[in-house]
Amino acid sequence: MYKTLFTRSVVNAKTFLAPSTQTRGLASINKVILLGNVGADPQEVTFNSGKKITTFPLATSRRYKDSEGNIVEQTYWHKIRIGGQPAETVMNIVKKGCLLQVEGSLRYDTYNNKDNIDVHSTSIVADKFQVHAFPKRKDANEQSAAEEED
């Protein structure tokens, strides 16, 4: 009985793992989906070619219990880059504090800074986004009170 099950599993695994004409074109998948809070208002960058991209930081958090049972929260910051028409939309509607879902791919870049030192950068090149919540607006009384404190 066990030999029969094992043999079937091996045959199924070989069939599953065998290269076929359907899977030869698939080399890999680079897909990132993040849901987090925008850490600063988006910034637009224009290149010499006239191409524009929008960048902004996105914070995601992870909560867990440490060995002593205390709840610990770790925040991770991600550099988001988005181009084309979605970049213009981001500039118009996304602000610091928005709860935003971003879909895209992970990108690693290396460049020389002004001191001729190699700098490594990791970013998410987004192709889709969705705003889940806008930051709460201060009413006129709260805003004037905050300005008086400054």
Side-chain angles (χ1 to χ4, degrees), residues 22-149:
Q22 295 175 343
T23 60
R24 284 187 186 156
L26 298 175
S28 61
I29 296 174
N30 181 355
K31 180 78 170 175
V32 177
I33 302 172
L34 297 173
L35 177 65
N37 292 308
V38 177
D41 288 341
Q43 301 293 314
E44 188 174 70
V45 178
T46 304
F47 295 96
N48 294 340
S49 65
K51 183 179 176 183
K52 295 179 182 181
I53 64 166
T54 300
T55 64
F56 58 91
L58 187 75
T60 58
S61 298
R62 172 182 171 244
R63 289 185 184 169
Y64 64 94
K65 286 187 181 181
D66 63 11
S67 59
E68 297 173 0
N70 300 319
I71 295 177
V72 178
E73 183 172 357
Q74 285 183 316
T75 300
Y76 302 97
W77 288 95
H78 311 277
K79 180 180 178 180
I80 309 298
R81 296 176 5 189
I82 189 165
Q85 181 60 42
E88 293 178 28
T89 307
V90 165
M91 285 298 296
N92 292 330
I93 66 170
V94 173
K95 301 294 179 217
K96 178 181 177 179
C98 284
L99 180 61
L100 193 71
Q101 178 178 330
V102 173
E103 293 184 37
S105 59
L106 192 59
R107 176 135 180 212
Y108 300 102
D109 293 309
T110 303
Y111 61 92
N112 289 333
N113 66 8
K114 61 184 176 186
D115 298 326
N116 204 25
I117 296 173
D118 282 347
V119 177
H120 301 282
S121 173
T122 304
S123 60
I124 309 300
V125 178
D127 48 30
K128 294 182 190 176
F129 75 94
Q130 181 177 0
V131 177
H132 286 265
F134 289 99
K136 293 181 182 178
R137 291 186 176 188
K138 295 181 181 179
D139 65 11
N141 294 335
E142 287 179 20
Q143 192 168 10
S144 62
E147 289 172 1
E148 290 174 8
E149 289 177 8

